[in-house]
Amino acid sequence: MIAAALTTDSFLERLPVLARDTVTGRLPESWRWMAGSLLEIIAILAGFGLLFAYLTLAERKILGRIQNRPGPNRTGWFGLLQPFADGVKALTKEDVVPAGADRVLHFLAPVVLVAVSLLGFAVLPFGRHLVAVELDTAVLYFFAAGTATELAVFMAGWASHNKYSLLAAMRALAQLISYELPLLLSVVPVVLVAGTLSTTKIVAAQGGWSLGFVPHWHVFTPWGAAGFVLFMVAALAESNRSPFDLPEAESELIAGHLTEYSGFKYALFFMAEYFGMCALSGMAVTLFLGGWGAPLAQLEWIPSYAWFTAKLLVLLLGFIWIRATLPRLRLDQLMKFAWKFLVPLTLLNLANAAGWSLTAGWTGPLQLVRWAVALALVAVPFVVLGRTLSAGSAPRTYRFA
Amino acid sequence: MTFTFLILAVIILGSALAAALRPNLIHCALLLVVSWLGVAGFYLWAGAEFVAFAQVLVYVGALSMVVLFAVLLTRQSRAELRVDAPETRRAVWAVIAGVAVSGVIGAAVFATKWDPAPVTAPEVTVRGLGLELMGAHAAALLLLGVLLTAALLGAVVLAAPDRPEKEEKS
Amino acid sequence: MQLSATHLWMIPALPLLAAAIGSLTPRGGRKLAAGAAIAAMIGAFVLSCGALVTALAQPAVHASANFTWFALGNEVVRVGWLLDPLTAFMAVMVTFVGTLIFIFSLGYMKEDRNFTRFFCFLSLFAAAMLGLLVANSLLLLFVCWELVGLASYLLIGFWFHKPAAAAAAKKAFLTTRIGDLGLLLGLLWLYHVRGSLLCYDGGAGVLEQGSLTALAGTTVAGGFALSTAIGLLIFCGAIGKSGQFPLHVWLPDAMEGPTPVSALIHAATMVAAGVFLVARVYPLMLADQALASVPVHALTVVAGIGAITALLGAAIAVAQNDIKRVLAFSTVSQLGYMMLALGVGSWVAAIFHLLMHAFFKALLFLGAGSVIHAAHHEQDVRRLGGLGRRMKATFATFAVGTMALAGVPFLFSGFWSKEAVLHAAHAWPVSSLPLLVGLAAVVLTAFYMTRLITGIFLGAPRTDAAAEAHENSAVMTGPLLILAACAIGLGFIGTPAWPWLQSNLGGIVVEPESIWEAPGLMLLSIGLVVTGLGAGWAVYGRRRNVNASSVDPLAQAAPGLFAVLAARLGFDEFYAATFGRLNTWVAALADGLDRRVWDSLVSLLARAGEFSGVLNREADEDILNRGFDRTSATVRGVGQTYSRAQAGETHGYLRTVALAFVVFALVLLLGGVR
Amino acid sequence: MSPLQGCLLLSAALFSVGLVIALARSNAILVLLGIELMLNAANLNFIAFWRFHSGAAPATGVIFVLFAIAVAAAEAAVGLALVIALYRHQKNLRLQEATRLRG
C-alpha cells in the first residue's frame, strides 16, 4: 500500500523504505514480514537509544549552562562520549537487592517499565511512510500500552521491601492516575475533530494550509492550542518530569521508589523515563503539531522524518528548559492542580471542540463568531478557574531571603 | 486452532491457576493482571482490536491499580499479605464445583451441533463502532454513564470514613 | 384644552398613581413622594380645567361615558364617568385647593418622620374625592365615598401614637359609617327598584325623568313617596359625611390630624362630599315636590337639619378655645347653611356657597396651621395672642378669611354666597324658620370669628410660645396669599350683577333668587354682621392684656350657658350614655350567650366525640389487634425458620449457585434440550 | 475441534478457575478478582461467538463486551469500596468471618 505512493516522492523521502526493501527483498516471501518488523524494531531501539543517550548529555549540558557551569566536558570532544562512559559505569556497578525483597518482582519492575515505554513508539508516524504498525485504534493502543508503567512503578516500590519506597510508589501512583485523566481527555478533542483514532489519519487531517501559510495543525485552533498546553502539562506529570517529579524527588524522598535500585536496573528506570518523555512528545507532535508535516508548502522538499525529528527535539528541549526553570510542586498542590484545574478545563475544551466541529460549515462573518466563541471558551474558564483556585494565596514574600 | 491461540490459552489459564494457588496476595493480583493481559491478547487474536485495548486500559490500567490500592489500604503489616492457605474442606468443595461446572459446560459445548462457521472475520472499524454506539445503543450508553457515576459516588460513600469530624476531635 | 367624559378617569388616576408611588417609596424618598403627589395634583388641576372648559361649552348636558364593570349572570353592573358643570367646578376647586394644601404641607410636615407616608395618604384622599366627583354611577360614587372615609381615617389618625388622634380617627370612621349605612340602604333599595345605579344613561339613568316619575309615583309605608324614602336614606350618608346634626360629633374631633388634613377635610373634600352627594341626587330629592299628599317633603327635612346644624355649630363655636375647634364648628355651621340652601330649593346658592366656603375655609385652616406651626403646636386661643405683629402675612390673610366667613359686605366672597342662601331661605314658602335661624347664625359667626382673631393676633403674647413665634417660610405663606386672593376675588363670579356661575351651573333649572328683590333683607343681614363684629370687639377686642388663665368674659356674664356651649351641648356625653351604653349592654349579652350557651353546646359535642373515640379504641385493641398479633407471630415464626438458611457465608451462597447451575444444566443436557 | 469450540472450552476453563478462586480463597479481594475472572470468561464467549459464529449485526458482540467491561469496572470499584468498608469493620478481610447478617 505504501509502494503505490512511493514513486511520486523524492529520493530522500523514500530512503528509509528503500533501505528496508533492499534488505528484505533478498529474503523469501514468507520471511519478509518478520524481517521487516525486526528491522523496524531495531531501528526504533537504535534510534531512540541513541536519542536517549544524547538527551541525557544534552540535559546535563543545558542545565549546566543555565546554572552557569560547563556541565560534563571531560569525556571526549565536548563530553560527547559521556553517555557511553555512564553506560559502562552502570553496567559494571554492583546490583544490590535488599534482604527480604521480592527478588522476582524487583527484577521485573525495570524490565516491564522499559518494555512498555517502548511499546508506544510502534504507532508513531515518524515520517510520511514511516510507521511501524498502522492501527485503526492507534491512539487507544498508545495509551493502553502506557498504562502498564503504573504497574511497574508499583512493583518497584513494593518489591524493594522498604516502607519509604512503598509510600513513594503510592504517591507516584496517585499522581500517575490523576494525570492520566487530563492526558486522555485532552486527546479526545483531536479524535473528535479528526474523526479517527489512527495516528496516520490524524496527521493527514492536519495537512494543507489556509491563506497559503497557516498550516492546518490543530495547535492553531483555539481548542487545539488549549488542548496542546493541557496535554503537555499532563505529559510532564506522566513522565515524572519537573515540576511534577515528586515520585523520585532526589532531594526530599531519596529518589522514592528507586531507592533500592542501583546499577543497570537504575539505568533502565532512567531510560524508561526518557523513552516515556520521547513517546509522549512524539504523540503531542502527531496530535497537535501536524506530525511530519512541513510548516510551509515551500519547505516540503525537506524529508518528513526530518520535520518530525525537529519538532520532537524542540519539545524535548522544552522539557529540559522547564526542568531548569520551575520549582517542584507540593503533593496537595499537584493533586489540586490535576483535579480542580486540568480536568475541568479539558472537559470544557472537549465541549469547545465539539462546538468547533459542529460549526465547521460556517463561513464569512460567522467564521469570526466561531473563532470568538471558541477563544472565549478557552480564555474565560482559564482565567476564572485560575483566579478562583489561586484566591487567597498571594505570591509569597520571603523575609530573610 | 492456531499456535497463537494455544499460547494465549496457556498464559490465561496458567496465570489464573497460579493466582489460585499462590499465598501472596500481591502475587495473586499481579498474576491475574497477566491473565487479563492474556485475555486482551485473545481479543487481538480474534480481531477485536478496540476491545483488546479497552481491556488493557480498564483492567491493566485502572482495575489493577484499584485492586493494589485496596490491598495496601487493608493491610497492617507485610506478613498479613501471606493469606492463609485455603481450608481443605472448602478447597475440596471449590474444586469439585469448578470441575463440575467446567465439565457441564464442556459437555454442553460438545453436545451442541454447531453450524458450519463462516471463517471470515466480521469487519468492524472504530468509526463504525462509534456510530453504532451513538446510534442504536445511545440509550444504553447514557444509562452506562449514569451507572458509572452512581458507582463512583457509591464507592466514595462506602469507602469514606464514617464520621471524619469525630476523628478530628479525638 | 378640552377633556371629554371618556377621559375623565385620568383626573382621579393621577393622584392614585402618586399614592402608589408614595406607598412604594422608602422613608428616605421624601422628594420623590412629595414631588409625585404635588405634580399629580397640578396635573389633575390642569385636566380639571380642561374638563371645565368642556362642560361650560354645553352647561345643560350631562355628558357621560359608561362601560360594563362586571357581569354576574344576567345582571350587568355598569359604571361610568359623568361630566357636567357641577363635576367640573367641584373638580377644579378640589384640585386647586388641594394643590395649595399639598404645597403648604411641604412646610408644615417638614420635620415629620413619616413624610412620605403622609403624602401617600394625601394623594389617596384626593384620588378618592376626585373619583367621587367624576363617578356617574352611584355604586362607584359609594366606593369612592368609602375610600374617602378610609383615607380620612388614616389621616386623622396619622399621629396614631397620640391616643387622642387614634380615638378621633376611630370616632370619625364609626360615626360616618352610621350615615353610610343609610346611604348603602338607599342605594340597595334604588338598585332593587330600578336595576341600575347609573345617574345619567341616555334616559335610563336613575336621575332622569323616566326613573323619577316612576319613583315619585310609588308610595311606600306612611304615605311617603318612594323617592322621598330613598332620598332621605341617601341624605343619611350626607349627614354623616358632612357633619350635620345629629352626626356632627366626629368633625371637631377630627382636628387631631395634622392641620393640612383638617384643611383638606373641612374645606375641599370630605365634608363637601356630603353636600355634593345631595346636589348630585337633587333631581331625586325634588321629585316629591309636586306631590301634595306626602306627609313631609324630603327637602323639608334637609332644610330643617341644615338650619339646626347651622345654629348649633355657630353657637358652640362661640365657647371653644381651641383654634381648630372653633373653625371646625364654624364648618359645621356653614355646612348647615349649604344644606339649608339645598333644602329651601336653591341648588345654585348651595353650590356657590360650597365653592366659596372651600376657599376661605381652607385659607382659615391653613392660617391656623401657620399659627400653630409658628407657635410650636400651641392651639389654645387663651395661650396665644399678639401674633399679628410678628406674622403679618398670616395675620392679613387670616383677617381676609375671617371677613369672608363673617360676610363683610361687597368685597368678600362669603358675603355674596351667604346673601344668596339667606334670600333663598326668605323666598321659601313653607316656613320662615330657616331664615330666622340663618340670620341668628350670621350674628354668631361674626361674633366668634372676632373673638378668634383678636385672641390670636391682637393684644400681648400670653405665653412664651406665642412670644417666640415668627413668620413661616414662603412655602407656607404662599398658598395663604393665593387663597386670600381667591377669597376676595372669586365672589364676583356669582354677584347678582354678573351671575356667571349661576348661569353656567345650569344643569338643573332653578331660578336664582335675586338679592335685589329684598333689599331690606340684605340691609338687615349687613346690620347683623356689623352687630356681631361690634359685639365681638366690645367683649374681646378692648381687653388686651389678659393672661392665659383668666376667665372668658362671656363665661363671667353667663357661666351656665357658656359651660353648656363649651361642653358642645353634651352631645358626646349623651351618645355615650345612650348608644354607648346600649352597645355595651348588647356586647355583654352576646358575651354571656357565647360563654354559657354556645360553649356548653360545643363542649357537649366534644364529649360525644371523645366517647365514640374511646369506644373505637376499645374495639380496636380487643378485636382487631389480637387477630393481627396472632398472624404476625405466625409470619415471624416462619421467617425465623427460613432465615436459618441465611448462613451469612458468602462462599456457601456462591457454591450453592454453582452446584445448582450444574444440576440444572445436567437436567437440560440429559433431557436432551438443545 | 473447531476454533469456536476451543474458545468456548477456554472460556469454560477460565470461568471454572475464577469460580475456584472465588470459592476457595478466603480473602475478600481475591474473591472479587475471581468474580472478575468469571466476567472475563463471559466476555471471551461474546468475542468468540462474534468472531466464529454467524449471527446478529456485525458489531453486536464487540459492543456487548464494551458494555460488560464498563459494568465490570463499576462493579469492581463498588466491590473494592465494600472491601475497605469491611476491613474498617472487622480489621481483616476474611470473608468467612463476615457473617453478621446471618439469619
Side-chain angles (χ1 to χ4, degrees):
Chain A
M1 105 191 127
I2 290 170
L6 271 181
T7 47
T8 58
D9 287 329
S10 68
F11 173 71
L12 271 178
E13 190 71 68
R14 282 181 289 158
L15 185 60
V17 186
L18 284 179
R20 187 195 66 187
D21 289 350
T22 336
V23 176
T24 56
R26 297 165 192 275
L27 292 166
E29 184 69 38
S30 55
W31 287 74
R32 275 187 195 170
W33 173 80
M34 185 73 84
S37 299
L38 268 177
L39 270 180
E40 280 160 0
I41 290 170
I42 289 168
I44 288 174
L45 277 179
F48 281 92
L50 211 62
L51 183 62
F52 156 65
Y54 279 98
L55 207 54
T56 56
L57 180 66
E59 177 149 23
R60 290 169 73 180
K61 289 291 261 189
I62 293 172
L63 281 183
R65 291 318 301 160
I66 290 177
Q67 292 161 0
N68 262 346
R69 57 188 171 82
N73 59 356
R74 296 302 166 116
T75 327
W77 193 52
F78 286 121
L80 278 181
L81 291 179
Q82 183 70 35
F84 302 100
D86 285 342
V88 171
K89 183 193 79 174
L91 273 174
T92 53
K93 259 178 140 179
E94 185 192 1
D95 178 30
V96 181
V97 180
D102 193 319
R103 297 191 77 90
V104 180
L105 288 184
H106 191 263
F107 170 72
L108 268 180
V111 174
V112 168
L113 193 57
V114 171
V116 296
S117 52
L118 276 170
L119 280 178
F121 291 117
V123 291
L124 288 182
F126 302 111
R128 200 184 294 273
H129 312 301
L130 295 181
V131 57
V133 184
E134 204 163 12
L135 272 179
D136 197 18
T137 51
V139 175
L140 196 63
Y141 163 84
F142 182 87
F143 290 105
T147 53
T149 55
E150 294 155 23
L151 220 51
V153 168
F154 174 82
M155 280 155 72
W158 190 77
S160 295
H161 193 18
N162 176 332
K163 65 179 74 168
Y164 301 109
S165 293
L166 187 55
L167 281 176
M170 300 281 281
R171 293 171 58 149
L173 282 187
Q175 172 181 336
L176 290 177
I177 292 172
S178 301
Y179 280 87
E180 194 163 316
L181 206 59
L183 188 74
L184 278 171
L185 281 174
S186 62
V187 170
V188 177
V190 177
V191 175
L192 191 145
V193 171
T196 174
L197 279 170
S198 156
T199 44
T200 50
K201 284 180 189 157
I202 287 176
V203 173
Q206 296 176 74
W209 291 265
S210 0
L211 309 174
F213 68 96
V214 182
H216 284 163
W217 300 354
H218 288 145
V219 77
F220 292 126
T221 57
W223 62 266
F228 176 63
V229 173
L230 291 168
F231 182 89
M232 286 314 284
V233 171
L236 271 177
E238 276 295 293
S239 51
N240 296 340
R241 291 289 303 190
S242 178
F244 303 106
D245 55 347
L246 270 178
E248 50 191 276
E250 312 87 275
S251 42
E252 287 98 343
L253 295 175
I254 49 165
H257 59 282
L258 306 179
T259 308
E260 301 294 352
Y261 281 93
S262 60
F264 200 68
K265 283 184 193 160
Y266 184 78
L268 282 181
F269 274 111
F270 209 59
M271 196 192 253
E273 179 184 324
Y274 279 85
F275 281 161
M277 198 165 94
C278 291
L280 281 169
S281 300
M283 201 57 183
V285 168
T286 307
L287 290 176
F288 295 104
L289 299 182
W292 40 256
L296 284 174
Q298 291 81 356
L299 294 175
E300 275 200 305
W301 56 270
I302 298 174
S304 55
Y305 44 86
W307 281 121
F308 185 89
T309 315
K311 290 174 189 173
L312 183 66
L313 284 179
V314 166
L315 287 188
L316 290 174
L317 293 181
F319 271 67
I320 294 169
W321 187 9
I322 287 172
R323 173 171 176 191
T325 312
L326 293 177
R328 199 171 282 147
L329 263 70
R330 219 167 51 214
L331 184 68
D332 61 322
Q333 292 169 338
L334 187 100
M335 286 297 168
K336 204 169 143 184
F337 185 67
W339 290 103
K340 293 190 177 172
F341 190 75
L342 288 183
V343 170
L345 280 187
T346 48
L347 286 173
L348 269 171
N349 201 37
L350 178 56
N352 196 358
W356 185 267
S357 70
L358 274 181
T359 55
W362 289 12
T363 50
L366 279 178
Q367 189 98 20
L368 282 179
V369 175
R370 183 188 186 213
W371 274 82
V373 170
L375 276 173
L377 267 176
V378 168
V380 172
F382 174 79
V383 172
V384 170
L385 216 56
R387 288 262 168 87
T388 319
L389 283 183
S390 60
S393 60
R396 242 186 236 190
T397 52
Y398 294 94
R399 202 171 158 193
F400 300 111
Chain B
M1 298 313 298
T2 63
F3 182 61
T4 321
F5 174 75
L6 281 180
I7 290 182
L8 282 172
V10 168
I11 291 176
I12 294 170
L13 288 179
S15 56
L17 271 176
L21 298 174
R22 295 287 302 184
N24 189 314
L25 197 51
I26 297 278
H27 287 178
C28 289
L30 291 176
L31 280 168
L32 282 176
V33 169
V34 173
S35 180
W36 289 332
L37 272 173
V39 173
F42 172 83
Y43 294 155
L44 263 184
W45 173 77
E49 269 176 22
F50 191 84
V51 180
F53 298 141
Q55 165 97 357
V56 173
L57 259 181
V58 171
Y59 277 90
V60 181
L63 255 183
S64 63
M65 285 301 114
V66 181
V67 170
L68 292 173
F69 263 91
V71 169
L72 291 181
L73 282 174
T74 56
R75 150 202 95 106
Q76 278 164 332
S77 73
R78 183 169 282 261
E80 263 190 40
L81 285 179
R82 306 212 159 270
V83 187
D84 322 325
E87 299 160 32
T88 327
R89 192 167 143 269
R90 224 182 44 228
V92 168
W93 266 110
V95 170
I96 290 174
V99 168
V101 166
S102 55
V104 165
I105 298 178
V109 167
F110 281 114
T112 310
K113 285 197 190 72
W114 300 103
D115 303 334
V119 192
T120 50
E123 196 63 37
V124 175
T125 59
V126 181
R127 193 178 185 80
L129 208 57
L131 290 175
E132 188 113 342
L133 272 178
M134 284 297 175
H137 304 275
L141 200 65
L142 276 177
L143 274 179
L144 194 67
V146 175
L147 172 76
L148 284 174
T149 312
L152 179 72
L153 293 177
V156 169
V157 169
L158 279 175
D162 288 339
R163 294 215 178 117
E165 67 270 24
K166 234 179 191 177
E167 285 170 18
E168 278 168 21
K169 272 176 201 163
S170 59
Chain C
M1 194 191 81
Q2 304 244 336
L3 189 80
S4 67
T6 327
H7 301 113
L8 214 52
W9 58 269
M10 294 197 306
I11 296 177
L14 276 175
L16 195 64
L17 186 68
I21 292 174
S23 71
L24 295 177
T25 310
R27 193 167 272 165
R30 299 162 76 98
K31 276 184 185 159
L32 175 62
I38 291 172
M41 278 312 269
I42 292 173
F45 173 65
V46 173
L47 291 175
S48 304
C49 289
L52 182 62
V53 172
T54 315
L56 290 185
Q58 287 177 304
V61 172
H62 300 285
S64 60
N66 301 323
F67 56 93
T68 304
W69 187 9
F70 58 83
L72 282 174
N74 293 329
E75 293 290 308
V76 176
V77 177
R78 300 173 69 218
V79 293
W81 320 116
L82 171 61
L83 182 58
D84 59 6
L86 176 63
T87 298
F89 274 117
M90 286 293 289
V92 170
M93 183 273 284
V94 168
T95 51
F96 182 68
V97 176
T99 307
L100 293 178
I101 290 171
F102 278 31
I103 293 171
F104 182 84
S105 304
L106 279 182
Y108 193 84
M109 299 300 288
K110 198 162 63 190
E111 282 102 32
D112 202 279
R113 283 183 74 234
N114 297 314
F115 187 81
T116 56
R117 187 153 61 91
F118 184 71
F119 273 93
C120 168
F121 290 168
L122 276 188
S123 298
L124 178 65
F125 200 178
M129 185 64 199
L130 290 169
L132 187 151
L133 294 180
V134 302
N136 185 27
S137 161
L138 288 176
L139 178 66
L140 193 58
L141 188 147
F142 183 71
V143 171
C144 295
W145 182 269
E146 293 299 321
L147 273 179
V148 170
L150 169 71
S152 72
Y153 171 77
L154 292 173
L155 282 170
I156 293 169
F158 186 73
W159 288 323
F160 54 84
H161 45 85
K162 281 192 342 199
K170 206 160 67 181
K171 188 173 178 180
F173 199 68
L174 291 178
T175 314
T176 52
R177 197 75 332 106
I178 296 170
D180 294 349
L181 180 63
L183 173 59
L184 182 60
L185 285 175
L187 294 186
L188 287 176
W189 199 349
L190 189 59
Y191 187 75
H192 173 68
V193 178
R194 298 299 309 160
S196 165
L197 284 175
L198 283 174
C199 299
Y200 299 97
D201 190 13
V206 290
L207 297 185
E208 284 170 299
Q209 199 51 52
S211 164
L212 293 179
T213 317
L215 286 174
T218 318
T219 314
V220 293
F224 285 102
L226 187 56
S227 68
T228 314
I230 294 174
L232 287 178
L233 279 173
I234 291 177
F235 180 58
C236 283
I239 290 177
K241 270 284 188 289
S242 287
Q244 298 296 300
F245 170 85
L247 296 180
H248 65 278
V249 289
W250 68 269
L251 229 175
D253 282 21
M255 297 302 108
E256 290 297 341
T259 306
V261 174
S262 311
L264 206 52
I265 289 177
H266 289 128
T269 56
M270 189 158 165
V271 294
V275 181
F276 172 79
L277 177 65
V278 178
R280 172 63 81 214
V281 298
Y282 206 63
L284 190 67
M285 298 289 198
L286 271 178
D288 60 0
Q289 285 303 103
L291 305 174
S293 59
V294 289
V296 59
H297 294 292
L299 283 180
T300 313
V301 178
V302 174
I305 295 282
I308 295 172
T309 312
L311 184 60
L312 200 74
I316 295 175
V318 168
Q320 297 299 316
N321 288 322
D322 189 314
I323 308 174
K324 288 168 75 178
R325 221 173 263 281
V326 174
L327 293 175
F329 276 107
S330 143
T331 304
V332 171
S333 156
Q334 297 299 312
L335 288 168
Y337 265 116
M338 296 170 207
M339 287 299 181
L340 191 153
L342 285 170
V344 300
S346 181
W347 187 82
V348 173
I351 300 302
F352 186 32
H353 195 53
L354 174 62
L355 293 177
M356 295 308 115
H357 173 255
F359 285 98
F360 61 70
K361 190 49 71 68
L363 167 61
L364 285 172
F365 264 110
L366 293 187
S370 177
V371 168
I372 292 166
H373 191 68
H376 302 285
H377 290 267
E378 182 54 69
Q379 318 193 357
D380 198 326
V381 184
R382 291 168 298 184
R383 298 171 61 78
L384 293 166
L387 290 177
R389 253 159 291 152
R390 273 181 301 280
M391 304 178 64
K392 290 207 169 59
T394 307
F395 180 34
T397 52
F398 200 87
V400 169
T402 301
M403 284 184 267
L405 175 57
V408 173
F410 306 125
L411 193 55
F412 297 97
S413 59
F415 170 74
W416 302 108
S417 58
K418 188 194 69 188
E419 287 307 310
V421 174
L422 288 178
H423 281 79
H426 174 67
W428 199 35
V430 180
S431 161
S432 59
L433 194 68
L435 176 64
L436 297 178
V437 168
L439 290 173
V442 167
V443 183
L444 288 173
T445 305
F447 180 76
Y448 68 68
M449 283 316 289
T450 315
R451 172 176 180 264
L452 187 65
I453 199 167
T454 52
I456 297 174
F457 292 101
L458 301 179
R462 288 183 285 273
T463 56
D464 292 345
E468 288 161 10
H470 50 78
E471 188 57 276
N472 289 298
S473 60
V475 80
M476 289 170 77
T477 53
L480 292 179
L481 293 171
I482 296 173
L483 283 172
C486 293
I488 296 172
L490 272 184
F492 296 105
I493 63 171
T495 53
W498 184 52
W500 178 78
L501 182 72
Q502 282 86 337
S503 60
N504 275 317
L505 265 176
I508 293 156
V509 187
V510 180
E511 270 306 308
E513 181 94 1
S514 171
I515 58 173
W516 302 124
E517 285 176 12
L521 178 62
M522 189 169 77
L523 284 178
L524 175 63
S525 125
I526 293 173
L528 287 174
V529 170
V530 171
T531 312
L533 290 175
W537 181 257
V539 177
Y540 294 98
R542 282 180 301 154
R543 305 166 66 255
R544 294 286 164 84
N545 293 315
V546 221
N547 60 357
S549 55
S550 65
V551 186
D552 194 279
L554 264 192
Q556 285 173 337
L561 179 65
F562 191 82
V564 169
L565 287 177
R568 299 169 237 163
L569 294 178
F571 273 104
D572 289 327
E573 289 75 12
F574 174 71
Y575 288 155
T578 53
F579 298 110
R581 197 166 292 172
L582 179 72
N583 193 20
T584 315
W585 187 79
V586 171
L589 184 69
D591 183 52
L593 270 177
D594 234 22
R595 280 176 198 279
R596 307 263 151 66
V597 181
W598 301 123
D599 210 34
S600 54
L601 262 178
V602 168
S603 60
L604 196 68
L605 269 177
R607 285 278 154 71
E610 204 177 34
F611 178 69
S612 78
V614 168
L615 267 186
N616 220 338
R617 190 188 64 200
E618 293 295 324
D620 234 25
E621 282 184 351
D622 284 353
I623 301 162
L624 286 176
N625 271 13
R626 204 163 295 159
F628 276 118
D629 281 351
R630 206 168 296 138
T631 315
S632 43
T634 321
V635 170
R636 199 181 304 135
V638 172
Q640 268 164 353
T641 314
Y642 276 111
S643 77
R644 273 182 220 132
Q646 183 97 2
E649 220 203 336
T650 327
H651 293 115
Y653 302 153
L654 191 54
R655 193 162 54 224
T656 314
V657 169
L659 292 177
F661 164 74
V662 169
V663 169
F664 283 125
L666 273 180
V667 167
L668 287 177
L669 274 177
L670 299 179
V673 181
R674 288 283 177 274
Chain D
M1 199 158 66
S2 70
L4 180 57
Q5 277 174 325
C7 293
L8 294 182
L9 286 180
L10 169 64
S11 146
L14 187 60
F15 187 89
S16 300
V17 174
L19 184 65
V20 169
I21 291 180
L23 283 181
R25 306 302 294 257
S26 56
N27 189 295
I29 295 177
L30 273 179
V31 173
L32 261 175
L33 290 179
I35 293 169
E36 285 294 333
L37 266 192
M38 292 194 261
L39 265 168
N40 263 301
N43 286 350
L44 235 145
N45 265 4
F46 282 124
I47 291 295
F49 279 112
W50 166 75
R51 173 67 177 82
F52 297 115
H53 196 269
S54 63
T60 308
V62 172
I63 285 172
F64 230 116
V65 174
L66 282 180
F67 281 130
I69 288 177
V71 172
E75 174 247 317
V78 175
L80 290 167
L82 275 173
V83 164
I84 290 173
L86 178 71
Y87 178 76
R88 202 180 300 123
H89 270 285
Q90 62 181 40
K91 295 293 165 208
N92 65 46
L93 285 178
R94 280 192 288 280
L95 206 53
Q96 64 267 36
E97 287 177 23
T99 55
R100 204 178 286 181
L101 288 179
R102 181 172 48 208

